[in-house]
Amino acid sequence: MTKFNAWNVFKNGLNGQTGWSRQWRDPEPKSSYDAVIVGGGLHGLATAYYLAKHHNMHNIAVLEKGWIGGGNAGRNTTIVRSNYMMPGNREFYEHTLQLWENLSHDLNYNVMFSQRAHVVLIHSPGALDAYARRYNTMKLTGSDGELWSLEKLKKKIPHLNYDNGRFPILGAIVQPRAGNARHDSAVWGYARAADSLGVDILQNCEVTGITRKNGSIESLQTTRGNIKGKKIGFAVAGHTSVLWQMAELGNLPIESHKLQAFVTEAVKPLLDCVLIFGPGGAAHFYISQSDKGSMVFGGELDWYKSYAQRGNLPTVKENGECAMAIMPCLGKLRLLRHWAGVMDMSMDGSFFMCKTPLDNLYLNAGWNYGGFKASPASGWYFADLIANERPHKVIENHNLERFEKGINLDERGIGPDPKMHG
Ligand SMILES: Cc1cc2nc3c(=O)[nH]c(=O)nc-3n(C[C@H](O)[C@H](O)[C@H](O)COP(=O)(O)OP(=O)(O)OC[C@H]3O[C@@H](n4cnc5c(N)ncnc54)[C@H](O)[C@@H]3O)c2cc1C
């Protein structure tokens, strides 16, 4: 595969860009692999990459029912942060942020990670106390965080609606190292790097059935034939329950909900950070500006269970109202596109990465609305779990038994419904 470097960019600039090789192969499926990862989103691709890179496994396949990155990986609002307080999530998300910081170099692919800061507006003294505790914990445990006064916030982002009676703005809590990355680039970067280490990426390869034998998965029926795997990982996000039932394992504590994203026409530079409005209150809204100039934003789930990758109109209205409430100048922009992805909402707001009742099956799921930022560490720890057949200490409580033990991993994970932590 041709490496991306200054010399090759220069050379191909002279020869009409004819010297680049394919970014990844399009191989025929083999009948068996040492590891099969179901799901060609970011979590599946990252897992395959780290299995090959760190655990010396090269006979690996990623099975994707459509095209890689066609699921949530290519549909999200690309916010990357590590502002978690509770043990288990705190270390995990700080690790993921560190992986993002070096990802373009590691993959030899520009994932356009932009550390433009994640700015959370504070609307009440209670929220200020809660966030101060959270961000102080982050600082004490090796991450970064700042408290901005109202004066500083006004200087940094002058065009917010500071006269909002319902949501008065008292200041902001900020993670400067957080920001955005380009979702497609991350998908293609992981795919290309995994392929170069021998991973077979099999697109249009849907798992349609599962055969079990002696407490293990014997083979996967797919639209491209039967495929066996010594070890099998599920990383199918919103479709986890479907695969779980295919394996006759019953129900999971996961509901599939829809989350929408919105993109406006492009404008000149307007917002140079990720801005969060109304968290923990009656509104929840996040917005940033893409490299092309579009305003990219989103808010709450659509709040009904579905596998459809499209959203409903009341949510469009709600997001429009939030946009107008915090940045009235957005009212002049035209909305170009909106779409939805299928979220795998767990009941306590945290993910699952664990062994399962079947010997050779491993589970990666429950990413809620925050799995984009998680993807590098998700791949890292899931590969570690699959290769070593035991959970790393950081993810040891991210299992299906945590509800029986009353382990709380997320500061807002107060169940019993995803709406309680949405
Ligand atoms: C609108 C929106 C905004 C979001 N914003 C953010 C954000 O700002 N920050 C953040 O961190 N996260 C965000 N998320 C969440 C994040 O996108 C997801 O948590 C994450 O992408 C899920 O992991 P994934 O990339 O592996 O999932 P996916 O890309 O969905 O990958 C799963 C893959 O499995 C495949 N699959 C399913 N069933 C089968 C089968 N039977 N056989 C083979 N393949 C199968 C699917 O086709 C899919 O490609 C957002 C999500 C949405 C929808």
Side-chain angles (χ1 to χ4, degrees), residues 179-235:
N180 294 108
R182 171 92 196 160
H183 41 25
D184 293 330
S185 296
V187 170
W188 299 332
Y190 270 119
R192 177 174 171 275
D195 174 273
S196 74
L197 295 173
V199 172
D200 281 0
I201 296 169
L202 305 172
Q203 302 186 85
N204 299 313
C205 186
E206 178 174 1
V207 173
T208 51
I210 292 173
T211 311
R212 284 171 48 166
K213 192 174 175 189
N214 300 332
S216 297
I217 291 185
E218 189 188 30
S219 80
L220 301 169
Q221 283 92 63
T222 82
T223 45
R224 296 180 70 179
N226 286 358
I227 297 177
K228 290 187 176 179
K230 287 186 190 145
K231 298 182 178 193
I232 294 171
F234 285 171

Side-chain angles (χ1 to χ4, degrees), residues 73-336:
R75 293 168 179 269
N76 65 81
T77 44
T78 74
I79 301 171
V80 175
R81 57 186 168 89
S82 71
N83 58 343
Y84 285 74
M85 185 180 78
M86 306 288 281
N89 277 337
R90 189 176 69 214
E91 299 85 347
F92 177 88
Y93 284 105
E94 182 51 28
H95 188 184
T96 213
L97 184 52
Q98 288 171 13
L99 289 170
W100 275 110
E101 284 173 326
N102 192 44
L103 201 57
S104 295
H105 291 286
D106 186 19
L107 302 179
N108 181 233
Y109 202 92
N110 186 0
V111 298
M112 301 188 201
F113 183 42
S114 156
Q115 293 180 288
R116 58 181 72 179
H118 179 261
V119 178
V120 182
L121 300 179
I122 303 289
H123 304 292
S124 71
L128 179 60
D129 285 352
Y131 273 108
R133 176 172 176 244
R134 182 160 155 185
Y135 279 59
N136 278 334
T137 309
M138 284 155 54
K139 282 171 76 173
L140 289 169
T141 51
S143 190
D144 62 326
E146 289 175 6
L147 178 63
W148 286 1
S149 65
L150 184 56
E151 291 67 40
K152 181 164 179 179
L153 182 64
K154 280 183 173 171
K155 264 193 209 141
K156 294 266 191 190
I157 321 177
H159 45 279
L160 299 184
N161 178 7
Y162 289 101
D163 293 324
N164 190 322
R166 186 160 174 218
F167 296 104
I169 300 173
L170 308 187
I173 200 97
V174 180
Q175 187 175 30
R177 285 165 58 238
N180 294 108
R182 171 92 196 160
H183 41 25
D184 293 330
S185 296
V187 170
W188 299 332
Y190 270 119
R192 177 174 171 275
D195 174 273
S196 74
L197 295 173
V199 172
D200 281 0
I201 296 169
L202 305 172
Q203 302 186 85
N204 299 313
C205 186
E206 178 174 1
V207 173
T208 51
I210 292 173
T211 311
R212 284 171 48 166
K213 192 174 175 189
N214 300 332
S216 297
I217 291 185
E218 189 188 30
S219 80
L220 301 169
Q221 283 92 63
T222 82
T223 45
R224 296 180 70 179
N226 286 358
I227 297 177
K228 290 187 176 179
K230 287 186 190 145
K231 298 182 178 193
I232 294 171
F234 285 171
V236 291
H239 288 83
T240 308
S241 307
V242 178
L243 268 286
W244 198 250
Q245 289 191 348
M246 233 183 248
E248 293 172 17
L249 287 166
N251 292 324
L252 276 173
I254 287 180
E255 289 179 2
S256 291
H257 285 257
K258 295 181 306 176
L259 182 64
Q260 296 191 52
F262 304 84
V263 174
T264 70
E265 61 189 318
V267 285
K268 287 186 176 173
L270 179 65
L271 188 66
D272 64 355
C273 64
V274 178
L275 183 76
I276 314 294
F277 163 61
H284 183 205
F285 180 74
Y286 34 91
I287 183 162
S288 61
Q289 189 165 17
S290 78
D291 46 327
K292 289 187 212 154
S294 298
M295 304 308 292
V296 180
F297 55 86
E300 288 285 14
L301 301 178
D302 279 20
W303 294 130
Y304 58 88
K305 290 165 231 160
S306 167
Y307 293 111
Q309 290 183 323
R310 61 182 181 277
N312 66 38
L313 284 173
T315 308
V316 180
K317 183 169 168 267
E318 189 177 303
N319 277 274
E321 285 168 358
C322 283
M324 289 295 289
I326 189 60
M327 286 175 75
C329 61
L330 295 178
K332 298 205 184 256
L333 292 184
R334 278 169 296 192
L335 199 59
L336 287 191

Side-chain angles (χ1 to χ4, degrees), residues 365-378:
W367 293 100
N368 295 275
Y369 31 66
F372 175 71
K373 64 179 181 294
S375 30
S378 169

